[in-house]
């Protein structure tokens, strides 16, 4: 095997995280062509195909998944080993989904800065939960059915995932309370979780449906704010827009959800009092 270019491995890790060459290129501040070229060269160097390319993005082959796990673990080890070298140890990395970052974290950045004035917060947005272990000064927020199964992590449940349908106060709609049969006749704004389609299937609704699809919850919610229809999302994502009256709720899912939102951090760094305080702050914001 030829000597592997470490930069190409880093590019591959970002592509694997985003599942999309264009979004990876934006995150890396490279052109899409440059990203694709690095991945192709890495595949040549390794002698295997790492990605399956499709119209909606890229997915990992079996060999690509093995490579992703190895690269993520290696990068975690390096980040932990090099933490604090040449600079004060004031950086904390928060891993979370893009819509959680946009709709939950961003409205709280001022409060975070006031609570932790010496912390340099870096957010890393991912499409899927991290497969590697968290390192020093790293925290992750992610939905799931149970607490983080990684034996190297501590984990805490932040809130239940409760779904709510929302729209602009100016959006023309029937009077509420509104049942799902009426709700599903309205223009529906759907994200990659396909929650409207699942609701349609669950209740066996046979009428016509007006579905407009987005790849992220935050985009569907912004479309709802713009008056283009009704979006469905977890309550914690919409609380700020409800409070500011940019959105109103028209239906709340009556079924209790088995899903929750969790925060995780490394067991190996339980002595990090600053990380513990930040975890406590995040927990309090969900209380």
């Amino acid at each position: 095997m030829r000597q592997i270019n470490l930069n190409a491995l880093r590019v591959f890790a970002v592509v694997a995280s985003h599942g999309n060459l264009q979004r990876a290129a934006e995150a890396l501040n490279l052109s899409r062509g440059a990203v694709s070229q690095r991945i192709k060269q890495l595949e040549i160097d390794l002698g295997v195909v790492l990605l399956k390319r499709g119209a909606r993005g890229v997915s990992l082959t079996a060999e690509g998944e093995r490579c992703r796990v190895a690269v993520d673990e290696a990068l975690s080890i390096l980040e932990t080993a090099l933490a604090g070298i040449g600079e004060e140890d004031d950086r904390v990395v928060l891993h979370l989904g893009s819509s959680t970052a946009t709709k939950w974290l961003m409205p709280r950045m001022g409060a975070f800065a006031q609570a932790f004035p010496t912390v340099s917060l870096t957010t890393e947005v991912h499409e899927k939960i991290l497969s590697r272990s968290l390192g020093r000064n790293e925290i992750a927020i992610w939905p799931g059915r149970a607490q983080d199964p990684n034996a190297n992590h501590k984990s805490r449940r932040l809130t239940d995932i409760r779904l709510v349908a929302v729209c602009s106060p100016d959006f023309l709609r029937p009077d509420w309370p509104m049942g799902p049969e009426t709700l599903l006749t309205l223009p529906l704004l759907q994200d990659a979780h396909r929650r409207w389609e699942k609701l349609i299937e669950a209740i066996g609704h046979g009428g016509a449906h007006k579905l407009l699809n987005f790849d992220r919850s935050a985009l569907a919610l912004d479309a709802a704010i713009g008056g283009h229809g009704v979006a469905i999302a977890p309550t914690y994502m919409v609380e700020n827009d409800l409070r500011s009256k940019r959105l109103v709720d028209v239906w709340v899912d009556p079924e209790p959800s088995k899903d929750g939102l969790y925060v995780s951090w490394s067991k190996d760094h339980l002595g990090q009092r600053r990380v513990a305080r930040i975890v406590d702050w995040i927990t309090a914001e969900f209380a």
Side-chain angles (χ1 to χ4, degrees):
M1 183 177 71
R2 293 172 55 186
Q3 185 175 358
I4 302 301
N5 185 295
L6 295 180
N7 184 48
L9 288 174
R10 175 60 177 165
V11 170
F12 169 75
V14 176
V15 171
S17 172
H18 287 273
N20 183 283
L21 290 174
Q22 183 59 45
R23 286 204 290 269
E26 292 169 0
L28 291 163
N29 198 26
L30 295 171
S31 69
R32 189 179 188 278
V35 169
S36 181
Q37 185 177 18
R38 282 169 172 79
I39 296 299
K40 287 180 181 178
Q41 187 59 54
L42 182 61
E43 289 177 324
I44 292 171
D45 291 343
L46 292 172
V48 296
V49 176
L50 299 172
L51 300 178
K52 291 182 288 188
R53 293 160 174 83
R56 300 187 64 181
V58 295
S59 58
L60 298 176
T61 64
E63 293 295 335
E65 179 63 22
R66 287 181 59 195
C67 183
R68 180 184 65 82
V69 171
V71 171
D72 283 351
E73 288 291 350
L75 289 174
S76 176
I77 292 170
L78 283 172
E79 288 171 2
T80 300
L82 298 175
I85 293 179
E87 61 181 20
E88 293 187 12
D89 191 14
D90 60 355
R91 187 173 75 102
V92 172
V93 179
L94 180 61
H95 302 274
L96 70 175
S98 61
S99 294
T100 300
T102 301
K103 290 297 183 179
W104 181 84
L105 179 62
M106 289 303 105
R108 292 170 171 80
M109 287 304 298
F112 181 91
Q114 186 174 8
F116 304 99
T118 64
V119 171
S120 175
L121 182 67
T122 298
T123 59
E124 290 200 8
V125 169
H126 307 273
E127 300 302 318
K128 296 183 290 186
I129 190 169
L130 284 175
S131 61
R132 65 168 175 83
S133 296
L134 294 170
R136 180 177 180 82
N137 287 345
E138 287 188 301
I139 301 170
I141 298 176
W142 209 262
R145 284 289 173 97
Q147 290 195 357
D148 192 332
N150 191 318
N152 297 318
H153 293 170
K154 291 284 286 183
S155 182
R156 182 183 297 171
R157 189 180 181 97
L158 295 171
T159 187
D160 296 336
I161 300 293
R162 189 75 180 271
L163 298 178
V164 59
V166 293
C167 65
S168 165
D170 300 323
F171 180 72
L172 295 177
R173 61 194 181 278
D175 292 335
W176 66 81
M178 190 184 305
E181 292 285 344
T182 302
L183 182 66
L184 294 177
T185 65
L186 302 176
L188 305 175
L189 309 172
Q190 179 171 250
D191 58 35
H193 294 282
R194 305 286 181 184
R195 293 185 176 110
W196 283 127
E197 291 180 8
K198 292 174 184 175
L199 182 59
I200 290 167
E201 182 179 356
I203 70 172
H205 190 269
H209 307 114
K210 305 171 186 176
L211 282 168
L212 182 59
N213 291 290
F214 299 86
D215 66 343
R216 301 180 189 180
S217 299
L219 295 177
L221 290 170
D222 285 346
I225 292 171
H228 299 291
V230 184
I232 187 169
T235 53
Y236 75 87
M237 281 191 189
V238 300
E239 59 185 12
N240 189 63
D241 289 323
L242 290 174
R243 188 163 47 245
S244 62
K245 302 189 184 307
R246 288 189 292 267
L247 292 172
V248 294
D249 60 315
V250 294
W251 178 81
V252 177
D253 190 350
E255 295 295 327
S257 174
K258 296 179 181 178
D259 293 329
L261 194 70
Y262 294 86
V263 60
S264 301
W265 64 104
S266 175
K267 278 184 178 178
D268 292 338
H269 305 290
L270 295 182
Q272 296 177 103
R273 286 175 292 180
R274 178 165 47 201
V275 166
R277 291 199 304 271
I278 292 174
V279 169
D280 287 342
W281 180 86
I282 290 171
T283 303
E285 287 297 309
F286 281 94

